[in-house]
Amino acid sequence: MKIISLWGYAEQNLGDDLFFQTLVKRYPHVHFFQYAHKDYQSQYWQEENVTILPLWQKSLWLRMPVSYPKRGGKNGAQVIIGGSIFQEDEAWSKNKEHYQKIMMTKQPVFIMGSNVGPTKSQSFTQDIKQIFQSANAVSLRDKASKDSFNELSHVSQAPDMILTRKEKANPIPNTLGISVMDQGEAYNKTIAKWVKKAVEAGYKVTLFSFSKKLGDETAIEKILTRLDKKTRDTVERCFYKGNITETLFAFSQMETMIATRFHATILGMVFKQKIFSVIYSDKTANVLAELPHRIPSVRVEDIEDLSFEEIIKQTQNQDFDWQETKKQAQVHFQALDQWVKGE
């Protein structure tokens, strides 16, 4: 049996948990080992081919060995999967050390589904290049990231991996989902204004939190406090707690989605919803720019200038075909497919 040591952001964030679940379901005859904190739970753990190795310290790095185990020996590989896992921030020195330890296992290493950035220095780009050079294959999710590593032939690029998921849409007419993030008071005020206008227009509104740790739930509560009781009582809340199936079903029922979280836009494509994106990061802007159809959007810093009526005007006739984009997303799995098959 093939063995994969799985690395990523295991912090009960819906986007990352969808990465993990998509991977382990694709390879049911491969066994996956993953480190995670003791208070982290997710539905993909229920898969028979997953073993979770618990960590008892809050910091991943306090519990990791000096050198990482080579699980599976010659039948083993290391997979690093996730979206924004290569950022130049205060955690980069520790993250860099972590990736270097993975490379030191001398097992095949596959980096899947990420983007690179924000980038502040040439030295950071050089760090990433050295890590990529040590990997067997790297798949990135936007051209802006890929362009910095065009000289590396084993680095590929494709639309986001979550687009490969086969999910059933269950749209209910006049439903509006809003994926919320902690983006400050101006953002909260505007979302509250949109919610009030939506309810007045006859929409059933659901506010979605993808990650408690990153502040989504707190942002929702702040938005709700800005609403009068009558409006507030009509608004549904969907908080992701590791319950992937339940969360995706609630998401699938939305006819229109105002997406702040990056993967809310991607899931909107999966479920063929009418999508409006609130751009809080260049990673969203880069991906939107590369799509074959134009998803309407606004930068979070410009959000106060946009009315709810304008959002509906820009999305009401939206009926995009994403089939070719979904097919292209399969590129992320090509190298690992070959390794699993022994090619």
Side-chain angles (χ1 to χ4, degrees):
M1 174 181 280
K2 299 276 190 174
I3 302 293
I4 287 178
S5 296
L6 183 59
W7 306 96
Y9 185 73
E11 296 284 359
Q12 207 170 81
N13 176 45
L14 178 61
D16 292 280
D17 285 1
L18 288 174
F19 278 131
F20 299 141
Q21 187 190 56
T22 301
L23 192 68
V24 301
K25 280 183 169 289
R26 187 181 181 93
Y27 305 109
H29 302 299
V30 174
H31 200 88
F32 292 83
F33 288 86
Q34 183 181 21
Y35 285 99
H37 304 304
K38 63 181 179 63
D39 54 352
Y40 169 67
Q41 298 287 328
S42 183
Q43 202 165 18
Y44 73 89
W45 287 15
Q46 298 172 8
E47 304 297 328
E48 293 182 357
N49 60 329
V50 178
T51 297
I52 298 299
L53 306 171
L55 296 167
W56 294 90
Q57 298 274 4
K58 285 191 175 181
S59 171
L60 175 67
W61 319 117
L62 292 176
R63 289 287 297 164
M64 294 309 301
V66 175
S67 60
Y68 292 173
K70 296 165 60 172
R71 298 187 185 280
K74 292 182 178 179
N75 289 318
Q78 309 278 330
V79 170
I80 303 168
I81 189 169
S84 301
I85 55 176
F86 298 111
Q87 300 186 57
E88 189 171 7
D89 55 20
E90 64 278 359
W92 174 241
S93 61
K94 285 291 185 182
N95 290 340
K96 176 183 173 182
E97 180 184 348
H98 165 58
Y99 295 132
Q100 289 172 335
K101 287 182 179 180
I102 293 172
M103 303 305 168
M104 288 169 59
T105 65
K106 302 300 183 183
Q107 288 184 312
V109 176
F110 301 89
I111 299 173
M112 304 176 66
S114 68
N115 55 268
V116 177
T119 300
K120 302 173 184 176
S121 67
Q122 188 59 39
S123 62
F124 173 77
T125 302
Q126 190 60 35
D127 285 345
I128 300 298
K129 183 177 180 180
Q130 290 176 355
I131 291 167
F132 285 2
Q133 286 175 325
S134 300
N136 291 62
V138 179
S139 68
L140 301 174
R141 67 181 178 188
D142 63 51
K143 186 175 181 295
S145 296
K146 170 70 166 61
D147 284 348
S148 296
F149 308 98
N150 281 332
E151 70 276 21
L152 301 180
S153 61
H154 65 298
V155 176
S156 61
Q157 182 260 323
D160 193 85
M161 183 188 298
I162 302 307
L163 288 167
T164 64
R165 293 181 68 94
K166 300 186 186 304
E167 303 284 354
K168 182 179 182 297
N170 304 284
I172 297 174
N174 297 318
T175 50
L176 171 70
I178 305 179
S179 156
V180 169
M181 290 180 65
D182 180 10
Q183 291 292 312
E185 286 307 304
Y187 171 88
N188 295 340
K189 178 182 177 181
T190 303
I191 297 295
K193 182 176 66 175
W194 290 352
V195 170
K196 183 172 175 57
K197 289 289 187 180
V199 171
E200 290 174 351
Y203 285 88
K204 182 63 178 176
V205 178
T206 302
L207 302 180
F208 287 86
S209 162
F210 280 19
S211 171
K212 178 179 181 179
K213 180 173 181 177
L214 297 178
D216 296 11
E217 292 183 18
T218 301
I220 286 175
E221 296 304 329
K222 289 180 179 179
I223 290 165
L224 291 174
T225 61
R226 291 179 172 272
L227 299 173
D228 60 87
K229 186 178 186 303
K230 182 179 178 182
T231 303
R232 187 166 59 245
D233 289 347
T234 69
V235 177
E236 298 286 340
R237 294 175 291 177
C238 181
F239 291 175
Y240 176 63
K241 303 288 189 182
N243 50 336
I244 295 174
T245 301
E246 180 182 356
T247 303
L248 290 187
F249 181 74
F251 199 98
S252 76
Q253 293 181 306
M254 300 298 106
E255 181 181 50
T256 302
M257 180 58 60
I258 297 176
T260 312
R261 280 270 165 222
F262 175 87
H263 274 113
T265 294
I266 300 301
L267 286 173
M269 295 166 65
V270 170
F271 291 115
K272 209 173 184 296
Q273 293 167 333
K274 299 174 182 179
I275 313 164
F276 186 91
S277 291
V278 178
I279 300 173
Y280 73 95
S281 166
D282 283 345
K283 69 178 180 181
T284 305
N286 291 338
V287 167
L288 291 180
E290 295 165 17
L291 294 174
H293 308 295
R294 179 188 169 276
I295 293 176
S297 63
V298 65
R299 288 274 182 178
V300 72
E301 57 267 26
D302 300 323
I303 196 171
E304 292 180 285
D305 299 330
L306 191 68
S307 69
F308 175 71
E309 291 79 8
E310 183 62 26
I311 291 174
I312 295 304
K313 181 180 177 181
Q314 293 188 40
T315 57
Q316 63 184 351
N317 296 320
Q318 203 176 108
D319 185 24
F320 298 144
D321 183 353
W322 300 112
Q323 289 307 309
E324 185 59 32
T325 307
K326 293 177 179 181
K327 189 184 301 181
Q328 293 168 0
Q330 295 287 343
V331 167
H332 288 288
F333 298 102
Q334 285 181 349
L336 192 58
D337 282 351
Q338 292 178 354
W339 179 81
V340 169
K341 295 174 183 176
E343 297 177 359

